[in-house]
Amino acid sequence: MEQLQGNREPHELASQIAHLIVQDFDQYMWDFREVTARAPIRFQNRDWHGIQADQKKRMSLYKRRISRIARKIQREMGKDAANDSLWQLVKAQYKALSLLRYEYELSESFYNSVCRKVIGNMGADIDCMFVEDEHLHREFRSEAPIFRRFEWQEPNVKLMEKLLLSLPIKGEFEDVSRDAAYISGRLEEDVLFSYKPDKESHIDLLESVFYRNKGAYVVGRFWISDRYLPFIIPLLHNQNGVFADTLITDTDTASIIFSFTRSYFMVDVSIPSEFVHFLKTIMPEKPYGDLYNSIGFSKHGKTEMYRNFVQHLKSSTDQFVIAPGIKGMVMSVFTLPSYNIVFKLIKDQFDPPKTTNKAHVKSRYKLVSMHDRVGRMADTHEFEHFVFPRERFSQELIDELLTVASSIIHLTDEHVVIDHLYTERKMTPLNLFLEDANPDEAEEVVEEYGNTIKQLAAANIFPGDMLLKNFGVTRHRRVVFYDYDEIGFLTDYHFRWLPEAEGPEDIYASGPWFAVGPNDVFPEEFKHFLIGREDIREIFFELHADLFEPKFWIDMQQKQINKEIVDVFPYRRRQRFSNAVC
């Protein structure tokens, strides 16, 4: 190894750096758990604004911690900060320190973030970083079970009451017997009608409760007929006490609750791998990355997504293509047909009439990452210096990317390197979905489209550009907004009625004959451009006519001004046991 600055001994310095990173990772986890631990008290006190503030604070911890330790290491390493051979030694020392840690996988992602922050312009370096999963999702197990087991018994209403009374919930139940009867009845309808329990049947409930916004989710699994079914009880807390809102026993709804379109849960996780493996038993199709994201470890979720992508490249041969749909004015999007992710990069120049800039677009993606996505905005991962195999790119695609974003594209004989991009879950653009939809499918997703706009408004989000092409349809037929360059807070806009024309000169004027401010919005105009097909447009008008009047938007703004958190449930309202107001 080449001589280090100041004749320092390489192994000694590597050990020092590795220990510094471990210490900072431990501090990060302590801070993370300290914020998370406040959730039960927030729920008990019905402090909904407090839990949302904690969610945002927890998300900011990682970046602050990485920046702090990176500066310290840069001072320690001096001119050797970018020395690959030294970093290989650091990696080896760090691996020895973290191999048997319960959070070993999180610690590897933390190390990767520090390494890249210190070195700077660096992709995923397999020699200096933990790029591949060397442990194949190794699972640590705690000494005591992380779940409580309830053996099946009849009548099951008594079992449900026993189960509810055992929960570590802070706050008195409104009516345990009533809720036990609700759960028992729903279990009969949704599960016991099709499956018959036997002496092996049981329910496992995780000891930790999952908190998000106004909800506390009891998460478990029901072993019946040689299979696991989800067993999830969302709890709410109104002025009369805590109550069970529904029972979820199907994988699709469970997956939606843990969706990439929702904010992360606040949940006490002692051994992340053990928790994730439990969740995998009730959502086997859910990627590991999504499960880590859902419990708050989004940086490791990003690592898992990248590792999965690299493995997929090794087992596939198709080429990257421009993503289906209308090309964006601000973003260029490409994908691998065989993979469920799209890659989005910001163009060098934006097509008219867009007048924004790159910094603003990045700030919009940051806003979404920190905001409550209410199941209607897709989560993204931001990457720098992403390396692709050039052989998987057609010359046509390379030419397209160089045309729109040459400043961030670098080519070698073997690689295409993109300085900055976002990854996002692949969805079917709403406009394309409607082209092939039958009348029933069209009505379903058009209703969803309007609900998406309304639920975003309930979360103080105005999409800006609400054209169909900016929304996607998930495999669960949920409609999700994914074009963020014009997104803003609802309360920043001024919703107005269109003034009446006073004469022919107003009617036939080439532009508005009245003053229009930069944030003025005229909802009456939405009906002219939101939906083109007449039959679908009529359905939308029937279901969501209130969107075309300023009153709806002004009322939503007032709710925000009044600090009201509007209820948005990750399951259908018809699934709720009652219409109790929280």
Side-chain angles (χ1 to χ4, degrees):
M1 178 176 176
E2 63 189 67
Q3 185 67 44
L4 299 183
Q5 182 187 20
N7 295 320
R8 292 180 294 182
E9 204 285 315
H11 287 84
E12 182 179 332
L13 179 58
S15 176
Q16 178 186 353
I17 299 303
H19 277 85
L20 284 175
I21 300 175
V22 165
Q23 291 166 12
D24 241 60
F25 172 73
D26 286 342
Q27 185 61 51
Y28 163 70
M29 291 302 301
W30 193 93
D31 293 342
F32 183 97
R33 287 175 170 137
E34 181 187 39
V35 176
T36 301
R38 295 201 286 258
I41 302 299
R42 301 287 195 196
F43 182 79
Q44 179 184 20
N45 296 334
R46 303 177 68 235
D47 181 7
W48 315 131
H49 292 287
I51 198 167
Q52 287 193 339
D54 284 344
Q55 286 173 321
K56 291 182 178 180
K57 179 177 181 178
R58 196 180 69 171
M59 289 182 67
S60 68
L61 292 175
Y62 192 92
K63 186 174 182 179
R64 288 210 307 268
R65 180 60 58 182
I66 293 296
S67 296
R68 186 179 298 121
I69 185 61
R71 288 194 298 270
K72 187 173 184 179
I73 290 174
Q74 284 169 337
R75 289 194 298 269
E76 292 292 334
M77 299 180 78
K79 293 182 179 180
D80 297 310
N83 186 319
D84 284 356
S85 298
L86 179 58
W87 276 104
Q88 290 173 34
L89 291 178
V90 175
K91 177 186 174 183
Q93 295 271 8
Y94 189 88
K95 182 177 180 179
L97 292 171
S98 62
L99 186 62
L100 298 180
R101 302 174 70 88
Y102 284 156
E103 312 96 341
Y104 75 94
E105 73 275 45
L106 308 187
S107 70
E108 289 181 352
S109 292
F110 189 87
Y111 168 91
N112 290 346
S113 297
V114 174
C115 180
R116 293 191 62 176
K117 187 72 173 178
V118 172
I119 295 178
N121 298 334
M122 177 186 185
D125 188 320
I126 193 170
D127 295 322
C128 299
M129 298 166 57
F130 297 97
V131 176
E132 297 179 343
D133 183 4
E134 301 176 9
H135 316 292
L136 299 177
H137 295 111
R138 176 180 49 161
E139 177 187 2
F140 279 111
R141 290 186 179 273
S142 52
E143 294 180 3
I146 61 172
F147 57 83
R148 186 174 304 183
R149 176 160 293 179
F150 297 84
E151 303 294 344
W152 183 256
Q153 66 182 55
E154 298 284 0
N156 72 71
V157 67
K158 293 296 184 183
L159 174 62
M160 297 306 117
E161 187 166 343
K162 176 183 176 183
L163 182 152
L164 289 174
L165 290 172
S166 74
L167 298 177
I169 291 294
K170 293 185 179 295
E172 296 293 327
F173 270 88
E174 184 179 280
D175 189 334
V176 169
S177 297
R178 178 202 64 196
D179 290 351
Y182 279 148
I183 295 170
S184 176
R186 183 63 56 81
L187 198 62
E188 292 282 352
E189 294 172 9
D190 293 351
V191 177
L192 302 183
F193 181 79
S194 302
Y195 304 106
K196 299 303 179 186
D198 56 29
K199 62 180 181 180
E200 301 296 327
S201 298
H202 57 264
I203 296 171
D204 296 331
L205 291 187
L206 285 169
E207 293 280 6
S208 297
V209 177
F210 293 64
Y211 296 91
R212 184 173 63 200
N213 293 334
K214 293 184 178 182
Y217 295 77
V218 179
V219 177
R221 60 192 182 190
F222 186 10
W223 178 255
I224 185 170
S225 298
D226 296 324
R227 74 196 69 198
Y228 279 122
L229 299 178
F231 191 90
I232 302 175
I233 306 172
L235 302 176
L236 301 178
H237 190 186
N238 65 14
Q239 61 273 17
N240 298 319
V242 177
F243 62 94
D245 198 44
T246 189
L247 172 68
I248 303 301
T249 56
D250 67 287
T251 300
D252 282 348
T253 306
S255 182
I256 290 170
I257 290 173
F258 284 82
S259 172
F260 64 92
T261 64
R262 297 194 177 276
S263 299
Y264 310 139
F265 283 108
M266 308 282 278
V267 55
D268 179 25
V269 179
S270 55
I271 303 179
S273 60
E274 187 175 20
F275 235 74
V276 165
H277 279 81
F278 183 98
L279 296 174
K280 194 77 170 169
T281 64
I282 61 173
M283 294 174 284
E285 299 302 316
K286 183 74 74 175
Y288 280 100
D290 283 7
L291 293 174
Y292 277 101
N293 288 341
S294 71
I295 58 177
F297 301 118
S298 59
K299 292 302 180 182
H300 186 67
K302 176 180 174 180
T303 299
E304 290 287 346
M305 175 260 144
Y306 180 79
R307 288 171 174 170
N308 182 268
F309 170 67
V310 171
Q311 289 301 314
H312 181 83
L313 285 178
K314 293 177 180 178
S315 61
S316 62
T317 59
D318 54 333
Q319 290 202 318
F320 291 98
V321 298
I322 293 294
I326 299 172
K327 291 183 179 180
M329 296 179 179
V330 171
M331 309 289 285
S332 182
V333 185
F334 65 95
T335 188
L336 197 64
S338 62
Y339 198 60
N340 67 342
I341 294 292
V342 297
F343 301 88
K344 306 174 69 172
L345 49 97
I346 305 173
K347 293 182 175 182
D348 290 338
Q349 301 293 329
F350 303 151
D351 301 338
K354 299 286 188 177
T355 58
T356 186
N357 56 55
K358 284 190 175 185
H360 179 77
V361 174
K362 290 180 180 180
S363 74
R364 299 303 86 187
Y365 276 79
K366 179 68 173 177
L367 185 158
V368 171
S369 72
M370 298 295 290
H371 200 75
D372 182 7
R373 294 188 295 280
V374 295
R376 298 300 187 177
M377 293 188 288
D379 197 8
T380 60
H381 287 305
E382 186 176 11
F383 286 88
E384 294 180 340
H385 313 296
F386 202 110
V387 180
F388 297 89
R390 183 166 179 168
E391 64 181 7
R392 304 293 287 271
F393 282 67
S394 68
Q395 190 58 46
E396 180 182 8
L397 176 56
I398 290 176
D399 291 343
E400 169 73 16
L401 296 180
L402 288 175
T403 298
V404 300
S406 61
S407 69
I408 59 171
I409 308 291
H410 308 282
L411 303 177
T412 70
D413 291 340
E414 296 182 351
H415 299 119
V416 176
V417 183
I418 301 181
D419 287 343
H420 181 268
L421 60 76
Y422 298 96
T423 62
E424 190 176 271
R425 181 62 52 80
K426 185 186 294 182
M427 292 171 271
T428 303
L430 180 54
N431 59 310
L432 296 186
F433 184 93
L434 288 172
E435 287 180 4
D436 299 323
N438 62 42
D440 290 339
E441 292 171 336
E443 181 169 354
E444 179 185 3
V445 298
V446 163
E447 181 177 10
E448 271 281 288
Y449 172 47
N451 289 340
T452 298
I453 296 171
K454 290 176 177 178
Q455 290 175 4
L456 288 174
N460 197 26
I461 290 293
F462 182 63
D465 190 344
M466 295 188 291
L467 294 176
L468 296 177
K469 68 182 182 68
N470 297 324
F471 294 77
V473 182
T474 72
R475 64 187 178 92
H476 298 297
R477 296 264 181 92
R478 299 275 294 179
V479 173
V480 175
F481 182 64
Y482 54 50
D483 191 318
Y484 303 145
D485 61 276
E486 290 191 16
I487 206 168
F489 292 118
L490 186 74
T491 45
D492 290 341
Y493 294 85
H494 182 208
F495 294 91
R496 299 171 52 188
W497 289 101
L498 284 169
E500 292 187 11
E502 296 183 358
E505 64 277 8
D506 292 343
I507 295 174
Y508 298 109
S510 59
W513 65 90
F514 47 87
V516 179
N519 284 355
D520 283 356
V521 179
F522 301 91
E524 294 165 275
E525 294 185 323
F526 295 166
K527 64 181 68 175
H528 301 305
F529 61 81
L530 287 189
I531 298 178
R533 261 177 60 182
E534 184 175 350
D535 56 335
I536 298 175
R537 186 167 62 243
E538 289 177 358
I539 296 172
F540 187 81
F541 287 2
E542 181 180 346
L543 294 171
H544 299 294
D546 51 345
L547 290 176
F548 305 129
E549 297 183 359
K551 183 180 184 303
F552 166 81
W553 301 96
I554 294 170
D555 287 348
M556 278 295 183
Q557 286 179 317
Q558 193 59 51
K559 291 179 186 291
Q560 300 299 327
I561 293 169
N562 294 340
K563 303 295 184 183
E564 180 179 344
I565 297 179
V566 180
D567 294 323
V568 178
F569 302 101
Y571 39 85
R572 304 294 186 186
R573 286 185 177 271
R574 62 176 177 269
Q575 294 177 278
R576 302 186 66 199
F577 291 144
S578 68
N579 293 318
V581 178
C582 304

